[in-house]
Amino acid sequence: QQQVKQSPQSLIVQKGGIPIINCAYENTAFDYFPWYQQFPGKGPALLIAIRPDVSEKKEGRFTISFNKSAKQFSLHIMDSQPGDSATYFCAASWGYGKLTFGQGTILTVHP
Amino acid sequence: NAGVTQTPKFQVLKTGQSMTLQCAQDMNHEYMSWYRQDPGMGLRLIHYSVGAGITDQGEVPNGYNVSRSTTEDFPLRLLSAAPSQTSVYFCASRTSRGQETQYFGPGTRLLVL
């Protein structure tokens, strides 16, 4: 199965809150798990990524937690800001740069 | 570097018309891909290429054709447009080395009437 399931579809938090977005996959051949951020009218941009042999990766306010046995991974955004309001996609890579994307989460951070 | 560029930004077609979406990158990337983005469905892979002269189908290839005669360019052709092809199309590229960042273009918004 090439699917990646993402939840929730939308998320609203107050400034300073910690939104969490979850993804699950089935295909154990996936070897790289990036998160993309997309602003309206723009293409997706890589935010942070993790390999399956690592359980956690942190870059600035963004953290990926990865549970290989459960085939799940999540994005945490610490101290969220209104500028973080965007659509977030999880993805999984399966060779030659091909990506399977989750359905996307629309994040709104209120001031 | 201009990165990944796409033209046109927006296009309206009538059912049955054909057109080519252009994609170019100036980063000498071997891998290039086309995705379509539809509400609630994320991005889905249409076609991809691992180098000049080499292309293959992705998840949703029907109704689309690609070719790659140079490293820089990867056009996507709609042979006979259908309303179901109304979408936002993104081209992406990355190097073949390791798990490097995949760069996306700004997208082409296509409306098929």
Side-chain angles (χ1 to χ4, degrees):
Chain A
Q1 291 291 336
Q2 300 288 30
Q3 286 185 341
V4 176
K5 295 183 179 179
Q6 182 173 346
S7 63
Q9 284 187 317
S10 63
L11 192 53
I12 300 174
V13 299
Q14 293 295 124
K15 178 182 175 181
I18 306 175
I20 300 173
I21 305 171
N22 300 298
C23 288
Y25 65 97
E26 289 294 327
N27 190 348
T28 55
F30 289 142
D31 59 2
Y32 183 65
F33 298 86
W35 284 87
Y36 284 84
Q37 181 186 56
Q38 184 181 34
F39 293 104
K42 304 293 186 182
L46 180 67
L47 188 64
I48 185 173
I50 197 167
R51 296 179 57 87
D53 54 351
V54 177
S55 61
E56 184 175 282
K57 184 174 182 180
K58 182 177 181 179
E59 288 185 0
R61 296 184 293 108
F62 301 93
T63 299
I64 300 177
S65 296
F66 191 88
N67 186 331
K68 188 175 181 178
S69 61
K71 299 179 193 173
Q72 296 175 347
F73 58 111
S74 60
L75 176 71
H76 297 62
I77 305 176
M78 308 300 290
D79 187 26
S80 59
Q81 301 296 313
D84 296 329
S85 297
T87 300
Y88 292 81
F89 293 96
C90 62
S93 178
W94 48 290
Y96 301 117
K98 296 176 290 186
L99 293 170
T100 296
F101 283 84
Q103 295 81 359
T105 297
I106 301 172
L107 172 66
T108 303
V109 181
H110 286 311
Chain B
N1 284 353
V4 179
T5 57
Q6 293 183 239
T7 56
K9 290 185 178 179
F10 179 69
Q11 184 72 44
V12 179
L13 289 179
K14 294 182 179 179
T15 296
Q17 288 185 316
S18 63
M19 80 161 293
T20 299
L21 281 64
Q22 301 292 345
C23 173
Q25 52 91 10
D26 61 359
M27 298 173 282
N28 202 31
H29 285 167
E30 297 87 351
Y31 296 167
M32 295 186 74
S33 308
W34 276 101
Y35 294 85
R36 60 177 288 174
Q37 182 175 17
D38 302 291
M41 301 186 72
L43 286 83
R44 291 179 293 168
L45 181 64
I46 303 172
H47 284 286
Y48 68 99
S49 170
V50 299
I54 306 172
T55 64
D56 204 347
Q57 296 180 350
E59 180 185 356
V60 288
N62 292 340
Y64 307 96
N65 198 4
V66 293
S67 61
R68 188 150 176 221
S69 57
T70 67
T71 299
E72 294 78 20
D73 300 299
F74 191 42
L76 178 72
R77 296 182 184 85
L78 280 69
L79 305 175
S80 178
S84 61
Q85 294 179 304
T86 293
S87 188
V88 182
Y89 292 85
F90 289 100
C91 179
S93 76
R94 56 156 276 200
T95 178
S96 61
R97 296 185 298 275
Q99 293 287 6
E100 297 291 334
T101 300
Q102 182 138 205
Y103 295 90
F104 283 81
T108 293
R109 186 174 297 274
L110 178 66
L111 175 61
V112 182
L113 301 175

